[in-house]
Amino acid sequence: MHFSIPETESRSGDSGGSAYVLRKEYGANVLPAFPPKKLFSLTPAEVEQRREQLEKYMQAVRQDPLLGSSETFNSFLRRAQQETQQVPTEEVSLEVLLSNGQKVLVNVLTSDQTEDVLEAVAAKLDLPDDLIGYFSLFLVREKEDGAFSFVRKLQEFELPYVSVSSLRSQEYKIVLRKSYWDSAYDDDVMENRVGLNLLYAQTVSDIERGWILVTKEQHRQLKSLQEKVSKKEFLRLAQTLRHYGYLRFDACVADFPEKDCPVVVSAGNSELSLQLRLPGQQLREGSFRVTRMRCWRVTSSVPLPSGGTSSPGRGRGEVRLELAFEYLMSKDRLQWVTITSPQAIMMSICLQSMVDELMVKKSGGSIRKMLRRRVGGTLRRSDSQQAVKSPPLLESPDATRESMVKLSSKLSAVSLRGIGSPSTDASASDVHGNFAFEGIGDEDL
C-alpha cells in the first residue's frame, strides 16, 4: 500500500488509534509495533520515511490470516487510505484492463473497495454473480515493452481508485485475472460464455508472453483450434501445457542451486518454479511443491555499504525483500531456500492462497464457499454492457525461445551449496506455518 502520511495524528479515529484498538483486541504479540509518530511538523524526507514505515507495517500485518479476516483491521485500512490521500468521496471513471489489453471503463465511487469495483467490472462484462469470486483485480506496472509486472493482488481492504491514483504514474494499471490455481475449477467458469471468453483471452495472452511453455507442434495445434473458433478445445489443450495458469514474476536472484543465481520465478499448480541458466548449460527448471514447504517468511534488509557503516541518505532502492522457505529435499533433510525479489510479498501471498485452496479441497469443501462474497451484497448491473473481444491468432513461435529442461527429477540430486538458515532477526511470529505440509519418503521426490 502507498500512503502519504499526515503530519499530526491523534489516538482516536485515525491509523494510530486503530492500531491501538487492534492491539487491544488481538494482543501485542500478534501485531508488530506501530511506527512512532512525532508531535512536530515533518520535513518532506521524514514524511516519505514515515510513509514507508506505515506501508511495511500494513504489508506485514496483512499477511496474517487472522487479521486478514478482521473487519476492524480492514475498516482501519480502508479509512486510512482515503483520509491520508485526502480523496473526497465522489463518482469517478476507473479503467480496468483484461489480460488481452482490452479496456473496461466502470463508474465507481472513490470510496469503493476492491469487491465493489470487481462487481462493477463483472456487471459491465455481464459475468454471472456466482462467478465473480473466480476472478481478482491485480495492480500491475506496465513495462516499456508492454509486458505487465505484477505488483500485488488488490486486497479486500483496498480502495482501487485510491491505490492506483496515489502512485501518480500512468504505468500502473489494474488488471482482471482469474484468482484460483487448480485448473479443475476452469470447468465452472467455462460453462458460461463470458467466463469462457475471459479464460480464453488470458490463456492466449499468457502464451504470447511466453509464460506458458509451448512446443512448435503444440503451437500449430493451438492456432488450428483458434482458426476454428474452438475455444473450449483450445483451453483443454492449453491445460496440458507446462505453466498453464501460472503467474510469472520479474527476473530476480536465488541461492538455489548456488548463491546469487539469476532466476525467473513462476507460481502455479501448487508449486514455485525457478527457471535458471547454470554456467555453460541450457535453460533449466527446478520446481518446489508447496506441500513440501514446512514454512516460509518474508524479510527485508538494508545491505551495508562496503565500508560497513550505514548512510543516513541511503536510497530507497537499496532495501531488499527476501522470501525464504524451508523445503523438504529428502525424507530427513530440510533446507532453506531464499529468493531475493521486490515481489517477495506477492510470492508469499501466492503461496498462502495455494495452501488455502489445497486445504479446502482436502477437507471436501467448495471453492465457491472459499471465494466468499459479502452477505446481502447485490450485483449492480450495468446499463451498457461490454463484450470480451476475441484475441488475434497466435503469432509464430519465437525462434529465440529455448526449451526448458527439468533441473532434476530429484531435487536432492542437485548440488546445493551456500544455502543455510537465513541470517535474519525475524521472530517466530514472522514465519508462516504450512498446514498443507506433507511428510514424504525418498521415493516420492
Side-chain angles (χ1 to χ4, degrees), residues 107 153 176 230 342 390:
N107 293 323
K153 176 182 174 181
L176 179 74
S230 302
S390 185

Side-chain angles (χ1 to χ4, degrees), residues 290-294 328 358 362 434-440:
V290 71
T291 51
R292 308 298 190 244
M293 296 179 188
R294 191 181 71 85
L328 190 60
L358 284 171
K362 187 175 182 180
N434 182 5
F435 292 105
F437 178 71
E438 299 174 356
I440 57 174

